[in-house]
Amino acid sequence: GRVLVLLSLAVASGFADQRMRAYPEHVVQKYIPGILDRSYGAPAIYRVLMPYGLTYLANSTGWTLSALWLATRLLAFLLAYLAIDRYLRTWFSSGEALTGVAVVAATIPLTFTNSWAHPDAIPELALFALGCYEAVRRRDVLFALTLAVASLNSETSGLLLLVYLVAQPWCRQTAYKLAVFGTIWSAVYIGLRWSIGWQSYEVWQLGKNMEFLKLLPPAYDPYYRSYAWF
């Protein structure tokens, strides 16, 4: 019953995501091809997990890229909500944890303000929540594996190292483990830039985002104007 509730939330989130985007097909028509031919630019070209993974599956299974995109995005929502549920149950009761997941599902549409979805966004939510769960439960091997996969998805996975630091008692053993985890993240980070080629970009995006907001015309949809801040 609990999984069905989480599945219902995932379907609702996936439906809202697909319906609220102005150009839902852009990701398979322009974005992913731009990642593969390296014309899209940084940091997107370094977020290889989903673009390359979806393309491989499409070539292997005969499914269209659009069908795989929708299927895996729904799966990513479900995995994210499952991970958040398990994470919250570390401290809260079953009902309270489920309420927390519902709050996430209810508020996540506030972030659906881009004209098209980015393939790394929801997998990042799932992988980050899973990493947090493994950090607080001290599942070090699984944390290392999750960190490696998350690093292929987005460089922001490095923040999981801070989560691990906060979640663990500070001691020499924790320092050694962080050194290993940091090496894993750095190896992926440097390896991607070595193999693809270095492109600089503005890491702190606040200024650029503020400029984008100024470009919105006066009659622009108030939903997107108001909630783009999220």
Side-chain angles (χ1 to χ4, degrees):
R2 190 181 194 86
V3 175
L4 288 177
V5 172
L6 296 175
L7 177 60
S8 298
L9 292 175
V11 171
S13 297
F15 179 81
D17 187 28
Q18 182 72 2
R19 296 290 295 178
M20 292 168 69
R21 307 288 187 180
Y23 305 104
E25 290 297 315
H26 178 89
V27 66
V28 296
Q29 294 175 350
K30 300 286 186 180
Y31 190 96
I32 291 178
I35 300 299
L36 298 183
D37 64 20
R38 303 179 184 176
S39 64
Y40 207 89
I45 57 171
Y46 302 127
R47 299 173 178 179
V48 299
L49 179 66
M50 295 306 295
Y52 283 86
L54 287 173
T55 302
Y56 175 79
L57 288 175
N59 293 335
S60 301
T61 64
W63 284 34
T64 65
L65 196 59
S66 295
L68 282 168
W69 159 249
L70 294 175
T72 55
R73 194 151 181 85
L74 178 61
L75 180 61
F77 273 115
L78 177 59
L79 293 177
Y81 294 159
L82 284 168
I84 294 170
D85 179 60
R86 295 294 297 175
Y87 176 62
L88 292 177
R89 287 168 71 180
T90 303
W91 304 283
F92 302 104
S93 68
S94 176
E96 291 169 338
L98 193 59
T99 300
V101 179
V103 170
V104 172
T107 55
I108 201 170
L110 296 174
T111 68
F112 298 163
T113 53
N114 291 330
S115 295
W116 56 84
H118 287 198
D120 55 274
I122 304 306
E124 180 180 18
L125 175 65
L127 290 166
F128 206 92
L130 182 60
C132 290
Y133 168 72
E134 291 162 352
V136 299
R137 294 296 181 94
R138 302 183 182 181
R139 299 183 175 184
D140 295 336
V141 174
L142 292 176
F143 179 84
L145 292 173
T146 299
L147 178 65
V149 175
S151 299
L152 292 170
N153 184 67
S154 175
E155 67 283 350
T156 54
S157 57
L159 293 172
L160 280 171
L161 299 173
L162 180 60
V163 172
Y164 190 90
L165 174 62
V166 173
Q168 304 297 319
W170 180 250
C171 62
R172 182 175 298 180
Q173 187 179 26
T174 299
Y176 290 154
K177 290 177 181 179
L178 278 172
V180 173
F181 299 146
T183 300
I184 293 172
W185 182 86
S186 298
V188 176
Y189 183 90
I190 296 171
L192 287 172
R193 282 148 184 81
W194 181 270
S195 60
I196 294 174
W198 172 260
Q199 289 189 28
S200 61
Y201 61 95
E202 182 184 350
V203 176
W204 183 249
Q205 295 286 317
L206 179 60
K208 182 181 293 188
N209 292 339
M210 296 292 287
E211 290 298 320
F212 285 154
L213 288 175
K214 293 178 183 177
L215 296 175
L216 300 180
Y220 199 74
D221 188 327
Y223 168 83
Y224 292 99
R225 177 175 292 281
S226 300
Y227 293 111
W229 299 97
F230 289 92

